[in-house]
Amino acid sequence: MFLITSVIIVIVLIILKTSVNLPVVLQQKREMEGRFDKEMFENIKTESVKAIEISYHQPTNITRNVFDFANFTRKKMKERLFNFRLLYVGSITPKSGSDMNVTLINLLEKPINASLNLNGSTQNKDNMLDSTSWYTSFVITPGQDYVLTVSYNNTYESNITIQTESGNSEYIGFFDISLTGLETSYKDKFQKSYSLP
């Protein structure tokens, strides 16, 4: 009886081993992890924008809230062996006046020599450390459109379109986000514009 049972168990194990294709299982596991990583990246993008939207009625706190959320995200991603990098530019134009306030956030895991150029007017910040922000302002004429060019280390440049309106306060948030894991890497650049109350 024991001999027959052991023979049946051995035959069942041999059948299971030959029917299970280990490379296919591993490939399916990688694909599922890749889909999960992509969904996580899309979620980070969505929640980063929500950091602006929840601060909509407190314009002076918008950029700080984005910075706080990005630092929290970076910490959580490191716990999961991901590298989260963000370059963020926040711009606010007041309802009245001619100053446009701009903040640059560096979460690139390296110091940068940053430059902001608004229609020919340039401001520089040398040796901007990782996990810091730089606040500056430009003189504008409300009602005109501007192109703000952000660059660093002579290796990166992006243009941000800023449309201003007389009598309206506008906020523009520019995100350059990347998320790198052991086998996957995702990157996106996008801009969101808001008319503030």
Side-chain angles (χ1 to χ4, degrees):
M1 196 68 165
F2 291 115
L3 187 58
I4 294 172
T5 307
S6 64
V7 169
I8 292 173
I9 290 174
V10 169
I11 291 172
V12 168
L13 290 175
I14 290 171
I15 291 172
L16 285 174
K17 184 174 184 344
T18 57
S19 66
V20 174
N21 191 349
L22 190 59
V24 171
V25 171
L26 291 175
Q27 180 63 26
Q28 289 174 345
K29 180 181 180 244
R30 280 190 211 105
E31 288 173 3
M32 188 170 48
E33 288 172 348
R35 283 193 302 269
F36 176 74
D37 294 350
K38 182 169 177 148
E39 288 176 13
M40 186 166 43
F41 178 69
E42 293 299 324
N43 189 38
I44 289 170
K45 287 172 35 183
T46 301
E47 296 303 318
S48 296
V49 171
K50 285 186 181 176
I52 295 174
E53 293 169 359
I54 63 169
S55 309
Y56 181 76
H57 293 287
Q58 299 173 336
T60 56
N61 294 333
I62 293 175
T63 304
R64 188 182 76 226
N65 289 344
V66 171
F67 193 22
D68 291 344
F69 177 75
N71 277 317
F72 171 78
T73 302
R74 182 189 219 180
K75 179 183 172 198
K76 291 300 177 186
M77 290 301 103
K78 279 187 180 179
E79 290 173 2
R80 290 166 177 80
L81 301 177
F82 283 94
N83 288 327
F84 171 75
R85 292 182 182 94
L86 170 70
L87 180 74
Y88 179 78
V89 179
S91 163
I92 189 166
T93 56
K95 287 184 180 182
S96 60
S98 58
D99 285 339
M100 179 176 71
N101 299 320
V102 179
T103 304
L104 175 71
I105 295 174
N106 174 17
L107 286 171
L108 297 172
E109 297 183 342
K110 63 182 178 183
I112 61 173
N113 294 324
S115 176
L116 295 171
N117 182 307
L118 184 74
N119 289 17
S121 175
T122 302
Q123 296 188 26
N124 299 308
K125 174 73 171 175
D126 292 333
N127 199 27
M128 184 178 175
L129 300 176
D130 177 47
S131 197
T132 60
S133 62
W134 169 38
Y135 171 83
T136 188
S137 64
F138 291 93
V139 176
I140 62 164
T141 303
Q144 294 187 0
D145 296 341
Y146 294 91
V147 175
L148 177 66
T149 302
V150 57
S151 59
Y152 67 83
N153 297 351
N154 296 321
T155 60
Y156 175 92
E157 183 174 294
S158 283
N159 293 324
I160 304 163
T161 303
I162 299 174
Q163 298 174 332
T164 64
E165 294 181 30
S166 296
N168 284 337
S169 181
E170 303 287 328
Y171 186 87
I172 289 88
F174 171 80
F175 296 86
D176 187 340
I177 297 178
S178 67
L179 184 67
T180 307
L182 297 174
E183 296 185 13
T184 57
S185 182
Y186 300 98
K187 183 171 177 59
D188 197 7
K189 284 194 246 186
F190 59 95
Q191 169 180 333
K192 295 289 183 180
S193 301
Y194 300 89
S195 292
L196 300 176

